[in-house]
Amino acid sequence: MKILYTTLSIIFFCLFAQTASAQLSINGKITDKSNRPVPGATVKLLEKSIIQITDQNGNFSFPDLDAGVYNFTTSYIGYETRNTRFNLEKGKTQLTIALEDKDNELQGVEITGRKEQAYKNTKSFSGTKTETPLKFVPQAISYVTKEVIDDQQAFKASDVIKNISGATHFSYYNNDISLRGFRSGNALINGLRTPTSSWSQPLLPNVERIEVIKGPASALFANTDPGGTVNTVTKKPLDEARKSINFATGSYNTNRISADFTGPMNDTKTLLYRLNLAYQNAESFRVLQGGQDMVIAPSISFIPDDKTQVNFDFVYSKTNSKLDRGQPIFGATAGTNLNSTPGFLCTWQKERL
């Protein structure tokens, strides 16, 4: 019996020694073409689905492997991915992989839009009804671009007109402007005469820029005022999808929100859309003033070819406020509070509401 146990022990020891002697390790190194180590490279042993990351010296190791053929995938940023086949056997456990540099080209970026995206504008359609440089137009033309409108947070026409010399708002009415001392009530939208006079100034979410032709312009636009003509240029749809939402808040419980959505409606980009939205709820430094304003301005452009473009614009504007004719002060003295409102006027207003 003792002899049997001894024989089994010898057989088990021989088998274990043979199995242990069959376990090998692959010790490798990743270098570049200049034989410099590549730290942080990823080495994947495909047969075992094991991944190793090279150390600071570019070394890696896969232990406890049987003799045989193994496949490796080596990758690193800036180098070509390389597939390596290695035959592991006793006395052949060292592996060196050299990576080739890869020429990385950045993806092309194309910026589309109007050429000028600053306060300065060098061309105008108002002076000649064609795109003409301002220096070639024999008439004084002032303008306010959308960059100025955005930076100044101008939400109504009176906020924009103050940027133009010789132009002031004659009253709270829309397009009631004094140009060179003459009261001008005629206004244009995209060069077309449009009845836009109203007792309240609408919001400007769909305005690209405002141009003012100073002096008579009846040769181009028929019956106009001698002081000048105001032309409002609206935003046009773009052939690139863009979305923007802005919110602003300020004094006197002023809250404003606006949105701008544009892009193509089909794959050929022959139909484009744009939707401008705006809402404002604001009070005033005077009581009983302020109100709510809303504008919805969708537009569609049909572009069958590179020489033809048809634009359809629709503007819905709603105002819930009061006609501001100025603040009446009865029995005013030097100590009267100009921000106050007479008591009887407050009572009348409450009854009206």
Side-chain angles (χ1 to χ4, degrees), residues 2 30-31 51 73 119 124 143 160 236-237 251-252 335 341:
K2 184 176 182 181
I30 306 298
T31 64
I51 297 177
T73 299
Y119 294 167
S124 172
Y143 55 84
V160 178
K236 303 299 185 294
S251 303
Y252 310 111
T341 300

Side-chain angles (χ1 to χ4, degrees), residues 272-343:
L272 310 177
Y273 83 95
R274 190 156 192 168
L275 177 62
N276 293 105
L277 307 171
Y279 173 80
Q280 174 177 277
N281 188 348
E283 297 178 3
S284 173
F285 69 97
R286 291 182 295 151
V287 295
L288 299 180
Q289 292 300 331
Q292 299 178 0
D293 300 272
M294 179 179 64
V295 170
I296 303 175
S299 60
I300 297 176
S301 293
F302 174 57
I303 310 176
D305 53 57
D306 57 350
K307 296 182 179 180
T308 306
Q309 179 172 345
V310 182
N311 298 318
F312 300 92
D313 295 336
F314 176 81
V315 179
Y316 173 80
S317 178
K318 180 180 179 180
T319 299
N320 183 13
S321 61
K322 309 170 186 65
L323 178 59
D324 190 0
R325 294 185 181 273
Q327 184 71 20
I329 297 296
F330 297 92
T333 62
T336 301
N337 184 5
L338 297 180
N339 296 337
S340 64
T341 300

Side-chain angles (χ1 to χ4, degrees), residues 125-126 187-192 209-212 229-233:
F125 288 86
S126 301
L188 308 174
I189 297 181
N190 296 324
L192 301 176
R209 66 182 182 273
I210 293 179
E211 300 176 343
V212 177
T229 304
V230 179
N231 181 36
T232 300
V233 181

